[in-house]
Amino acid sequence: MSDPIAMGILSTAHVHTDAYAGELADREDVDFVGVTDGDSDRGQETAERHGTEYVADADALLEQIDAAVICAPNAAHREWFERAAATGVHVLCEKPLAPTLEDARVIVDVWQESGIRAGITMPLRFCGPAQRAKETLDAGEVGDLLAISGTNRGQMPGGWFVDPEAAGGGAVMDHSVHIVDLVYHLTGQAVAEVYAEVDTRFHDIPVDDVNVLSMELADGTPFFLDGSWSKPDAWHTWGDATLELTGTDATVGLDYTDQSLVHTVESGSDAGVHTAFYGTNANAGLIEDFVSSVRADREPEITPDEGLLAVAVVEAAYESAETGEPIEVAFD
């Protein structure tokens, strides 16, 4: 085997940090050099959990690595991306690519001009149900698409996710991008128009926690999405990720979190409803694709220009909620 790829994590603020750190630590073809974070306690705790080093000086870590995963708050994605690209470090960036279309465009420009390999963390593309749905659609078994509906309803994550400056928005910003990206991946059609109903109803927070997006794809297919933070704290999973595509010949449905067994513990410290997930490890597929892309000097499955498409939909959704009107999605 060729030499391992030296990798690190830039900021450990995101709730998905442990999932990606665990994948990096377990890979024989990766040398998980360390993590950096302005919050030293958080960074050190993450490093200890995964048997790596906490590097206080981010520039020092960037000098030691070939590639990195950005797990920073949304508003910091552009800064971390620019710093990594300036040192020739390949990047896998947490979604959304950026909280604004302006920053997303800058990131795309930096990616194209720097020549680094860059991906976006959209792991749903790598789950078994999505892969089988893609095969079915590509084979023409569904016929002409008539309608699409999806959900990405989850628990309210708290922390910086509900800080308007750090996150750039609430549930629309956090959850809608996953299903919007998956629909683009499956159909090849971007969202052309959005009408959004957005509100804060479940929690006392300064950002939205409920949304319903009524969209239209570029080919005219209607697309309905609920991406709310509507699951209670005691829910037995983090939420759901579902999609149904109805065509003239068949309907294809997928449910990522349904790949689990549910069991109830009657008493004791583990009392309550629990799940045992048996589906494909989408995070492992995401990391495998990115590491392979760096090694083979090719683009990852999801590139920044595709990440920009989802940011454009989010920005249009918030404009629609503000104006009460359908908004055309502007990508340029």
Side-chain angles (χ1 to χ4, degrees):
M1 185 177 70
S2 56
D3 292 339
I5 296 172
M7 293 190 64
I9 290 181
L10 307 179
S11 174
T12 63
H14 204 282
V15 295
H16 296 155
T17 301
D18 282 332
Y20 302 138
E23 294 296 331
L24 296 181
D26 287 343
R27 294 185 66 95
E28 294 183 357
D29 59 352
V30 167
D31 177 13
F32 187 15
V33 175
V35 306
T36 189
D37 197 320
D39 184 327
S40 60
D41 289 341
R42 183 173 64 197
Q44 288 172 349
E45 290 169 2
T46 301
E48 290 174 4
R49 282 197 300 273
H50 299 284
T52 190
E53 297 295 323
Y54 168 67
V55 183
D57 184 348
D59 291 332
L61 179 61
L62 286 167
E63 289 294 331
Q64 300 176 57
I65 58 178
D66 305 308
V69 184
I70 296 174
C71 293
N74 302 338
H77 287 180
R78 174 179 168 179
E79 177 187 355
W80 279 115
F81 197 101
E82 290 176 324
R83 292 179 70 177
T87 55
V89 171
H90 307 289
V91 171
L92 179 62
C93 184
E94 253 298 349
K95 59 79 199 165
L97 180 61
T100 67
L101 195 51
E102 178 183 357
D103 279 354
R105 288 173 179 144
V106 171
I107 290 175
V108 170
D109 288 342
V110 170
W111 161 60
Q112 293 175 335
E113 293 168 5
S114 67
I116 65 168
R117 301 304 180 186
I120 312 299
T121 62
M122 297 291 191
L124 287 181
R125 291 196 187 193
F126 298 94
C127 74
Q131 292 171 334
R132 291 190 290 274
K134 177 70 171 168
E135 292 171 359
T136 301
L137 288 161
D138 288 350
E141 297 178 21
V142 174
D144 296 329
L145 277 176
L146 300 175
I148 303 172
S149 62
T151 64
N152 191 193
R153 300 164 297 197
Q155 296 166 322
M156 190 273 292
W160 64 261
F161 286 88
V162 299
D163 178 344
E165 292 188 6
V172 175
M173 183 72 67
D174 181 41
H175 265 197
S176 299
V177 292
H178 278 300
I179 305 300
V180 166
D181 175 77
L182 185 57
V183 167
Y184 175 74
H185 172 62
L186 294 175
T187 68
Q189 297 291 319
V191 174
E193 184 180 88
V194 184
Y195 173 74
E197 292 284 349
V198 175
D199 206 344
T200 306
R201 297 193 176 187
F202 300 115
H203 309 89
D204 183 16
I205 54 177
V207 294
D208 56 284
D209 61 12
V210 60
N211 64 86
V212 174
L213 309 184
S214 297
M215 296 171 279
E216 186 176 282
L217 301 185
D219 65 356
T221 303
F223 171 23
F224 178 87
L225 174 62
D226 178 355
S228 305
W229 289 335
S230 53
K231 296 297 185 184
D233 292 341
W235 199 250
H236 58 280
T237 70
W238 52 262
D240 65 28
T242 71
L243 195 62
E244 186 173 272
L245 304 99
T246 301
T248 52
D249 299 332
T251 295
V252 170
L254 62 96
D255 186 342
Y256 178 59
T257 55
D258 190 47
Q259 303 174 98
S260 58
L261 300 175
V262 179
H263 63 102
T264 302
V265 178
E266 183 178 357
S267 60
S269 60
D270 292 332
V273 181
H274 304 270
T275 59
F277 185 76
Y278 60 79
T280 49
N281 184 340
N283 289 327
L286 174 75
I287 297 297
E288 166 63 28
D289 173 69
F290 178 66
V291 172
S292 297
S293 76
V294 172
R295 189 173 297 282
D297 194 26
R298 63 164 176 82
E299 295 298 348
E301 170 67 33
I302 311 115
T303 48
D305 53 341
E306 292 181 311
L308 182 146
L309 300 180
V311 175
V313 174
V314 169
E315 195 159 286
Y318 279 126
E319 183 179 348
S320 174
E322 183 77 21
T323 64
E325 300 291 336
I327 299 296
E328 291 186 9
V329 180
F331 302 111
D332 300 326

